[in-house]
Amino acid sequence: MTFERFTVSARKAVVTAQEEARQLRHDHIGTEHILLGLLDVQDSTAAKVLHQLGYDKATAQADIAALVEPGTRELSGHIPFATSAKKTLELALREAQQLHHSRIGTEHVLLALVREGEGAGEGAGVGAKVLAERISPVGRIRAAVLAVASPSVSASAEGSPDAVAAGPSWPAGTPATEDTMSTAGALAGGAPVGSHHLLEAMLRAENSMAARVLRELGVDPDAVAAKIDELDPETTTDANPEEAAARRMEIRLVDDEVHLILRDPATVALARQVTELSGGPVQGVGPVASLFVPLWRTANHLLLQLQRVLEPEAGGGEADGSAEGKVAKAVRTVLGSRLRRHP
């Protein structure tokens, strides 16, 4: 794996990741070591974003220690990358390309770390897992990166450790912009932020210039929400496989059973293959139960999130005027009407 297109900070993070693996006496460089490497480069975009979200290296070290034990022997020489780490660094290139950046910075590695966790499920690397546990929804990381990324600068990477080539990027924004980006990220969940998420978030941003202009032009947020639900994003440039699959999901309560229904063709085809190979429905019996644990946790986490949106608003964090409170209030407003069935 070559690193010619990595910025100074990104290269430093990768080198530090190897040293972190060596200190822990691990015989591979995993996503946990990449996460520690990103946090070690204090002036990088990735470290700044994670610190802004309340996550620092000491916390990461504690989280990783709870999941991974140190090795038993000293290591010397080259330490290879684990499969999950290789995938993360490959995804970093894709993240840079999607932002039209010619250099790969720590922000792209961080976005790739999040995406690797989203796509791998239980097979995700340790770094992705601890981020998902601490920062929920993990889509807040993507929103924060887009909100604080430095304006595009020269490709020389001499003036700034995370400098990237000219291309669209999100400059530092006003409080209204940061609230809008955070809300859009929360609405998108783990999927990429779409223009429809930004539009709804913009309409719900309290006291923002954009919301005021749109209201005075007669734009009704509820009418916009209804039109977004009516149109199919798959026919637009906002199409993405995660949201397409999610739009076909449903939760039903049948007697004393909770039915989680997935209708996207890829999942249906995969389930058909599994049931054919197993000779029928797969049950969590014996050691197989451990394979079902992540799904059980995810289902309960989703139900708790839905419960918080649907329950009558309490006078807690949403009323304190904090950035997180504003985002929570906006998300409750956007999602509540969709979740409630009106006669």
Side-chain angles (χ1 to χ4, degrees):
M1 185 172 296
T2 58
F3 299 97
E4 288 85 357
R5 296 179 64 180
F6 280 57
T7 63
V8 173
S9 284
R11 292 184 189 184
K12 184 177 179 182
V14 173
V15 171
T16 303
Q18 179 169 256
E19 293 309 309
E20 293 288 346
R22 197 183 309 280
Q23 289 178 19
L24 289 170
R25 299 181 180 180
H26 291 164
D27 60 1
H28 65 276
I29 301 172
T31 56
E32 65 270 34
H33 309 117
I34 291 179
L35 175 59
L36 292 173
L38 291 174
L39 286 164
D40 192 71
V41 187
Q42 295 288 326
D43 60 346
S44 70
T45 302
K48 290 176 181 177
V49 164
L50 291 172
H51 290 160
Q52 175 187 317
L53 294 172
Y55 199 68
D56 55 25
K57 187 172 182 179
T59 304
Q61 288 173 322
D63 289 344
I64 291 167
L67 294 178
V68 182
E69 294 184 357
T72 57
R73 61 186 181 88
E74 296 286 346
L75 298 172
S76 60
H78 174 71
I79 302 176
F81 287 96
T83 301
S84 58
K86 286 182 181 179
K87 182 179 179 182
T88 295
L89 296 178
E90 290 166 358
L91 287 172
L93 171 60
R94 190 181 306 173
E95 292 289 346
Q97 290 172 334
Q98 288 180 350
L99 291 172
H100 303 285
H101 294 164
S102 63
R103 303 294 300 278
I104 301 170
T106 59
E107 66 271 34
H108 306 122
V109 178
L110 178 58
L111 291 175
L113 197 62
V114 172
R115 189 178 291 275
E116 189 273 333
E118 294 168 352
E122 179 63 11
V126 174
K129 287 180 181 178
V130 297
L131 281 178
E133 286 291 326
R134 285 284 184 174
I135 303 174
S136 179
V138 76
R140 291 173 57 204
I141 296 177
R142 179 173 295 276
V145 167
L146 296 178
V148 306
S150 301
S152 301
V153 293
S154 167
S156 68
E158 291 298 327
S160 171
D162 254 343
V164 294
S169 180
W170 289 99
T174 64
T177 300
E178 293 178 2
D179 288 346
T180 298
M181 289 302 304
S182 296
T183 300
L187 292 175
V193 174
S195 62
H196 49 307
H197 302 127
L198 285 169
L199 178 58
E200 286 213 69
M202 194 181 302
L203 283 164
R204 306 294 180 176
E206 293 183 353
N207 302 320
S208 72
M209 183 66 174
R212 180 176 176 182
V213 168
L214 291 170
R215 282 196 299 267
E216 293 197 5
L217 287 174
V219 177
D220 178 18
D222 293 333
V224 170
K227 181 57 68 173
I228 288 174
D229 293 347
E230 175 188 333
L231 298 177
D232 183 2
E234 292 304 293
T235 61
T236 72
T237 53
D238 280 302
N240 73 79
E242 294 99 330
E243 185 171 355
R247 282 174 173 256
R248 299 187 179 193
M249 295 177 66
E250 184 178 348
I251 296 175
R252 291 182 185 174
L253 182 63
V254 180
D255 297 327
D256 291 329
E257 294 181 340
V258 177
H259 293 193
L260 177 60
I261 302 169
L262 296 86
R263 298 188 178 93
D264 66 287
T267 302
V268 171
L270 186 57
R272 183 173 290 113
Q273 291 175 5
V274 170
T275 52
E276 287 176 355
L277 290 169
S278 64
V282 181
Q283 297 179 323
V285 179
V288 178
S290 63
L291 301 177
F292 281 78
V293 170
L295 178 59
W296 177 82
R297 287 177 177 164
T298 301
N300 277 275
H301 179 65
L302 171 60
L303 289 169
L304 286 170
Q305 286 184 307
L306 296 175
Q307 182 185 40
R308 282 195 289 268
V309 171
L310 289 167
E311 283 180 338
E313 185 172 352
E318 295 181 17
D320 62 8
S322 67
E324 288 192 1
K326 290 178 182 177
V327 171
K329 183 177 180 180
V331 169
R332 176 189 287 269
T333 302
V334 170
L335 299 184
S337 59
R338 262 88 156 197
L339 290 168
R340 290 185 179 89
R341 294 295 185 96
H342 299 286

